[in-house]
Amino acid sequence: MRSDSDITERADLELLLRRFYAAAFADPLIGPRFAGLDLAAHLPHITDFWAGSLLRNAEYRRNLFAPHTALPLTAEHYGRWVQLWSAAVDGLFAGPNAERAKAQAQRIAVAMIRRTTGEDPAAGGPGGFVPVSALLLRTG
């Protein structure tokens, strides 16, 4: 069901986020971590974040790290989050904003891992997550 259209409006992001969270809730690794999430309350805020990041048409005025620090997430969890996010993006969209959404997810995961665990994922530590950019650098 892949579309050849890019992410261009808030409705695209809402569709993407619903697809992603459906997969995240069902995933055996990270699904239990999302069990208490009130998606109806969370969706407008996370849509604001992605709209600001990708479309430059919304302002996200919350602390991105705060909701995640309360969750016991490891590098492995963030790695799975990136996989599910990228699959959701690729399943729905193609274009510069879609590519930027995947790259931004990588950057967020690395920042979250560093901030919440102190681990450096680019170093390929024991946590189970190495960003694609680091892999590309290692093979080049």
Side-chain angles (χ1 to χ4, degrees):
M1 181 168 136
R2 184 181 171 122
S3 171
D4 288 331
S5 64
D6 202 2
I7 300 167
T8 59
E9 58 185 304
R10 189 176 182 90
D12 295 335
L13 291 169
E14 289 169 355
L15 174 66
L16 172 59
L17 287 162
R18 287 184 189 283
R19 171 78 58 96
F20 164 74
Y21 279 109
F25 287 148
D27 185 77
L29 179 63
I30 66 172
R33 304 295 194 254
F34 286 96
L37 178 68
D38 179 355
L39 187 57
H42 182 63
L43 197 60
H45 301 299
I46 197 67
T47 304
D48 282 346
F49 170 79
W50 285 106
S53 180
L54 299 176
L55 306 176
R56 312 284 191 242
N57 66 2
E59 291 191 30
Y60 181 77
R61 296 190 183 273
R62 295 174 157 245
N63 181 338
L64 180 64
F65 293 101
H68 299 90
T69 56
L71 300 172
L73 297 174
T74 66
E76 183 181 18
H77 294 114
Y78 283 111
R80 185 66 178 146
W81 177 82
V82 169
Q83 289 173 338
L84 294 172
W85 176 256
S86 296
V89 171
D90 286 341
L92 294 170
F93 300 103
N97 283 339
E99 292 304 312
R100 201 163 9 148
K102 293 185 293 184
Q104 180 73 358
Q106 289 272 334
R107 286 189 295 275
I108 290 168
V110 168
M112 292 287 191
I113 293 165
R114 284 183 178 146
R115 186 139 185 200
T116 61
T117 70
E119 184 180 329
D120 182 4
F129 174 72
V130 177
V132 171
S133 58
L135 290 174
L136 294 175
L137 290 173
R138 289 181 187 171
T139 60

